Amino acid sequence: MRATVIHGPNDIRVEEVPDPVVRKSTDAVVRTVLACICGSDLWAYRGVAAREKGQRIGHEFLGVVESVGADVTTVKPGDLVVAPFVWSDGVCEFCAEGLQTSCPHGGFWGTPGSDGGQGEAVRVPFADGTLVQLPADAQSDPRLLTAMLALSDVMSTGHHAARAAGVRPGATVAVVGDGAVGLCGVLAAKRLGAERIIALGRHEARTAIARTFGATDVVAARGEEAVEAVRELTGGLGAHAVLEAVGTEQSMKTAIAVARDGGAVGYVGVPHGGSAGVDIGQMFDRNVSLRGGVAPARAYIPELLADVLSGAIDPSPVFDAAVPLDGVPDGYKAMDERTALKVKITF
Amino acid sequence: MRATVIHGPNDIRVEEVPDPVVRKSTDAVVRTVLACICGSDLWAYRGVAAREKGQRIGHEFLGVVESVGADVTTVKPGDLVVAPFVWSDGVCEFCAEGLQTSCPHGGFWGTPGSDGGQGEAVRVPFADGTLVQLPADAQSDPRLLTAMLALSDVMSTGHHAARAAGVRPGATVAVVGDGAVGLCGVLAAKRLGAERIIALGRHEARTAIARTFGATDVVAARGEEAVEAVRELTGGLGAHAVLEAVGTEQSMKTAIAVARDGGAVGYVGVPHGGSAGVDIGQMFDRNVSLRGGVAPARAYIPELLADVLSGAIDPSPVFDAAVPLDGVPDGYKAMDERTALKVKITF
C-alpha cells in the first residue's frame, strides 16, 4: 500500500510500504476512507519534534474494517469506524477511568513499528479498546464523514481544553489560538453552555469560523495588547475559563494572564515553550489553575459523536482544504505556510 | 503598644508603636490573645522576600474585640474572634464566591500602613468581612484556643492544598513538606476521606505528628529517591492528589513527579523557585493538573471551626513552642534553625 513517511524536516513523502496485516488476535486492519494533517504534525515537519528517518506519520483517520483478529468482538469487517489519536487496550485502570492516553499498552500512530494515519490502511492494536463504530450510512454523506473525522483529534482535543478549563453554563471563556483545535475549543465551550466566548486570533478567515462556532468577541492582538483587550471586555476581571491551544511560551503566558482570579487554563497545545510561559507567581496570587494535556479522545468520542449525528455540533468547517494521498506533501506545505487551516486527505 | 517590626534580614525587633484605633466606620480593633510565626515569615526574615525597613510582621492572630466602628454589625467589644491572614470586604464578587484573597479591598497584615499580627493589638479593616467569631468560653481552654489559632492560616492553607489537589474519599494522597502547613495538609486530607496518606519528610518529630494526623506512610527521602519510594508504595502509579507545601523548585518537581496520571498537585507553598520546577511536558503527557495558590482562609474558617469545636480535628500539635511577645526574635531564630516547628506567641 501507499503511506506517508517523514524523512526529515520538510521532507514528507508518499511511498510504497508493506500492507498491514493482523498480527495479534486483538488487532484489526482498517482501510482508510478519510484522514487529515494535524497542526502537531507540523512540529515534526519543521524538525522541532524529533522523528526517526522513515517513520510513518499521521494520527487521525476513519475507515472501514478490513479484517480482525480472533479476539476482536466489537467491530467486524465492513464496519465504518473512527480511531482516536492514540490506541489503548480498553481494559486497564486508566481506560476504565477515561484516561486512555495513559493506558500502559497504548501508543501513538506513527511511532516506530506502527502505521500512521496518513496511509491507505492501518493496523490497529487493541481494536476493541480503540475503535468507535460509526453509522454505516454515514459513508454517503461527505460532510458528516468530515465532521466525524474531527472526532479523532481536533474536536476531542478542543473539548478536553474546555473541560479542563472548567467551562460551565454561563461562563465567560477565552480561547487562545485560532488553529483548528482553538476553533473546536470555541465549539466545545459553546456546547458546554458558555455565555461569552472571546476568541484570540488574527487570521480573519479563521476568526470568521470562530464566530460561526459561537465566539461572541474576537481579539486580533497578541501579548500584552491581547491581555488588555480581554480584561477590558470582561470588566477588568478576565475569563473564568481559558483554553490554550497553541503551546508556545507566549500563548501560555497570555492564557494565564487573561484568566479570572480563581479560574482555570485548560491547555492542550503541545508545550514547546517549556515552563517559561507558566507564571507560577501570578497563578499563586490569583489562584489560577492549569489543567489539561493530551486529550483522551477515546473517552469523548461517544458523547461528541451523538452530538455530531444529531446536528448539535458540526466541526467540519475546520477542514478548508482537501488533497488526495499523493498531495499530502503539498498539504503540509499549505498548513506550514498557513494558507490552509486543516487539510483533509481523501482516498 | 508593643509590636514586632522587621528591620532587615535576621533583624526582628519588638518595639513600642502607636496604639491602633478605629479609623474607618468598618474597622475594629482587636486586642491580641494569641499569635504565631509562620514559615512564610521566614522568607522575609531571611531576606528572600523584600520588606521595607520598619514594616510590621505577622499575619495570624486571635483576640478580643476592643472597639468597633459605627458600621460594624457582626462583632462587638468583648467578642473572641480569629482573623484570616488577609482581610477582605466581605461584599464583593470574589468574597461572595469564597475567594476572599482576591477581594479588591483586601490586604495582607503587615503591609505598609497596616498592623501586623505579632503585636498587642491590631486594627482590622472591614471587620464584618474579615473576622470570625469564636465561642466566648474557649478563652479558658488553652488547647482549644491554640487549635483555633491554626485556622488563621496553616490549617486553612493545608485544607486549601487538599481541596485544590482534589482529595476525595478513598484517595491516595502524597504530602510534600513536613512543615506546619504540610502537617495540616495531612490532617485536611484525612478529614476529606483520604484512605492512604504518604507524608514526605525527614524530620522525625514532624513525621511523628504526621502519623498522628493520619499519615499511613512516611517517606524520609528527597528528589528522585523520594519519587521512586512513592511510586513503589503506589504500585508504580503515584498519588491521586499531591499537596505541595514547600514552594521550592525541588518540592514542585517532586510533587508533579509523584502525581498519578490524571491527578492533581494542590500547591500552597509560596513559590520561590519560579516556574523552573513546573515540568509542563510531564504534566501534559500525564494530564497532571496544578491548582492552588494563596488560601482563602476566610472561606474555610467556619467549616473548619465547626470540626475543631466538635473535636473532629485538632491542629494544635503543630505548635511545639511558645514565647511571650518579647521572645519573638528567639522564635524566628528557632524556626529558621528548624529547632521549632511553629512558635506560638502568648500575650
Side-chain angles (χ1 to χ4, degrees):
Chain A
M1 70 157 181
R2 292 173 63 73
T4 306
V5 175
I6 181 163
H7 285 264
N10 302 307
D11 187 0
I12 294 279
R13 304 179 203 170
V14 177
E15 297 174 351
E16 196 65 32
V17 300
D19 284 334
V21 293
V22 166
R23 282 190 223 155
K24 292 191 174 173
S25 63
T26 48
D27 285 354
V29 169
V30 173
R31 175 74 37 190
T32 312
V33 171
L34 274 186
C36 53
I37 305 172
C38 184
S40 70
D41 291 331
L42 297 179
W43 293 113
Y45 180 73
R46 291 169 183 159
V48 179
R51 290 290 184 275
E52 290 177 20
K53 188 177 154 61
Q55 220 175 297
R56 304 287 179 81
I57 193 164
H59 54 265
E60 302 156 282
F61 63 97
L62 58 72
V64 174
V65 176
E66 196 169 72
S67 55
V68 297
D71 292 329
V72 174
T73 61
T74 60
V75 295
K76 58 184 187 310
D79 284 351
L80 184 68
V81 294
V82 66
F85 66 91
V86 298
W87 70 79
S88 52
D89 67 18
V91 296
C92 73
E93 207 174 326
F94 286 110
C95 285
E97 288 173 15
L99 192 66
Q100 288 89 342
T101 47
S102 288
C103 172
H105 300 116
F108 187 72
W109 307 110
T111 44
S114 77
D115 293 321
Q118 294 159 5
E120 289 177 332
V122 179
R123 181 180 74 86
V124 176
F126 303 103
D128 284 340
T130 304
L131 297 171
V132 178
Q133 204 168 350
L134 303 172
D137 57 3
Q139 273 211 70
S140 58
D141 183 341
R143 188 209 51 80
L144 181 56
L145 269 187
T146 305
M148 295 191 307
L149 174 65
L151 301 180
S152 67
D153 186 345
V154 273
M155 186 62 218
S156 295
T157 296
H159 176 67
H160 189 52
R163 283 267 306 251
V167 175
R168 285 197 182 83
T172 292
V173 176
V175 180
V176 180
D178 60 6
V181 171
L183 296 178
C184 286
V186 170
L187 192 57
K190 176 77 180 170
R191 178 178 173 273
L192 292 172
E195 193 173 292
R196 190 163 193 193
I197 303 174
I198 304 165
L200 282 74
R202 302 191 297 179
H203 195 295
E204 283 184 19
R206 300 177 181 194
T207 54
I209 297 174
R211 287 199 186 269
T212 69
F213 279 5
T216 53
D217 303 84
V218 168
V219 167
R222 274 193 184 166
E224 202 41 58
E225 205 186 324
V227 174
E228 276 169 33
V230 175
R231 295 244 155 223
E232 199 176 308
L233 284 169
T234 54
L237 295 178
H240 298 104
V242 181
L243 283 56
E244 194 290 310
V246 181
T248 62
E249 179 183 341
Q250 183 182 284
S251 63
M252 182 62 90
K253 202 170 279 206
T254 299
I256 291 169
V258 301
R260 191 179 191 279
D261 288 23
V265 173
Y267 74 110
V268 292
V270 185
H272 282 84
S275 299
V278 181
D279 184 341
I280 192 81
Q282 195 181 145
M283 285 173 62
F284 183 86
D285 290 344
R286 305 201 291 106
N287 272 278
V288 172
S289 303
L290 187 55
R291 298 190 288 219
V294 57
R298 182 60 185 80
Y300 300 141
I301 291 176
E303 67 173 287
L304 295 174
L305 174 61
D307 277 11
V308 165
L309 293 174
S310 76
I313 57 169
D314 177 13
S316 69
V318 300
F319 296 95
D320 63 343
V323 293
L325 182 55
D326 285 337
V328 167
D330 295 333
Y332 273 82
K333 193 162 178 290
M335 281 179 62
D336 183 44
E337 294 170 354
R338 286 174 71 91
T339 57
L341 168 55
K342 189 166 179 75
V343 175
K344 185 166 72 171
I345 306 165
T346 56
F347 291 84
Chain B
M1 68 159 182
R2 293 173 65 73
T4 307
V5 175
I6 181 162
H7 285 264
N10 303 308
D11 187 0
I12 294 278
R13 305 181 202 167
V14 177
E15 297 175 350
E16 196 65 31
V17 299
D19 284 333
V21 292
V22 166
R23 280 190 226 157
K24 291 190 175 174
S25 62
T26 48
D27 285 354
V29 169
V30 172
R31 174 74 35 188
T32 312
V33 171
L34 274 186
C36 53
I37 304 172
C38 182
S40 69
D41 291 330
L42 297 180
W43 293 112
Y45 180 73
R46 292 168 182 158
V48 178
R51 290 289 183 277
E52 289 177 20
K53 186 176 157 60
Q55 222 175 294
R56 304 287 178 83
I57 193 164
H59 53 266
E60 302 154 284
F61 64 97
L62 57 71
V64 174
V65 176
E66 196 171 71
S67 55
V68 297
D71 291 329
V72 174
T73 61
T74 60
V75 294
K76 60 183 186 308
D79 285 350
L80 184 69
V81 293
V82 65
F85 66 92
V86 297
W87 71 80
S88 53
D89 67 17
V91 296
C92 74
E93 207 174 326
F94 286 110
C95 284
E97 288 174 13
L99 192 66
Q100 287 88 342
T101 47
S102 287
C103 172
H105 300 117
F108 186 71
W109 307 111
T111 44
S114 77
D115 292 321
Q118 294 159 2
E120 289 177 331
V122 179
R123 182 180 73 87
V124 176
F126 302 103
D128 283 340
T130 304
L131 297 171
V132 178
Q133 203 168 349
L134 302 172
D137 57 4
Q139 272 211 69
S140 57
D141 183 341
R143 189 209 52 78
L144 182 57
L145 268 187
T146 304
M148 295 191 304
L149 174 65
L151 301 179
S152 67
D153 185 345
V154 274
M155 185 63 216
S156 295
T157 295
H159 176 68
H160 189 52
R163 284 268 306 252
V167 176
R168 284 198 183 79
T172 294
V173 175
V175 180
V176 180
D178 59 6
V181 170
L183 297 177
C184 286
V186 170
L187 192 58
K190 176 77 180 172
R191 177 179 174 272
L192 291 172
E195 192 173 294
R196 191 163 190 191
I197 303 173
I198 303 164
L200 282 75
R202 301 192 296 179
H203 194 296
E204 284 183 19
R206 299 177 182 194
T207 55
I209 297 174
R211 287 198 187 270
T212 68
F213 278 5
T216 53
D217 302 86
V218 168
V219 168
R222 274 194 183 168
E224 202 42 58
E225 205 186 324
V227 174
E228 277 170 32
V230 174
R231 295 243 156 225
E232 200 177 307
L233 285 169
T234 54
L237 295 178
H240 298 104
V242 182
L243 282 55
E244 194 288 309
V246 182
T248 62
E249 180 183 343
Q250 181 182 283
S251 63
M252 181 62 90
K253 202 170 277 204
T254 300
I256 291 170
V258 301
R260 191 179 191 277
D261 289 22
V265 173
Y267 73 110
V268 292
V270 184
H272 282 87
S275 298
V278 181
D279 185 340
I280 192 82
Q282 195 181 146
M283 286 173 62
F284 183 86
D285 289 346
R286 306 201 289 107
N287 272 278
V288 172
S289 303
L290 187 56
R291 297 189 289 219
V294 57
R298 181 62 184 81
Y300 300 140
I301 291 176
E303 68 175 286
L304 295 174
L305 174 62
D307 278 12
V308 165
L309 293 174
S310 77
I313 57 170
D314 177 13
S316 69
V318 300
F319 296 95
D320 63 343
V323 292
L325 182 57
D326 284 338
V328 166
D330 296 332
Y332 272 82
K333 193 161 178 290
M335 283 179 62
D336 183 43
E337 294 170 354
R338 287 173 70 90
T339 56
L341 168 55
K342 190 167 178 73
V343 175
K344 186 167 69 170
I345 306 165
T346 54
F347 292 83

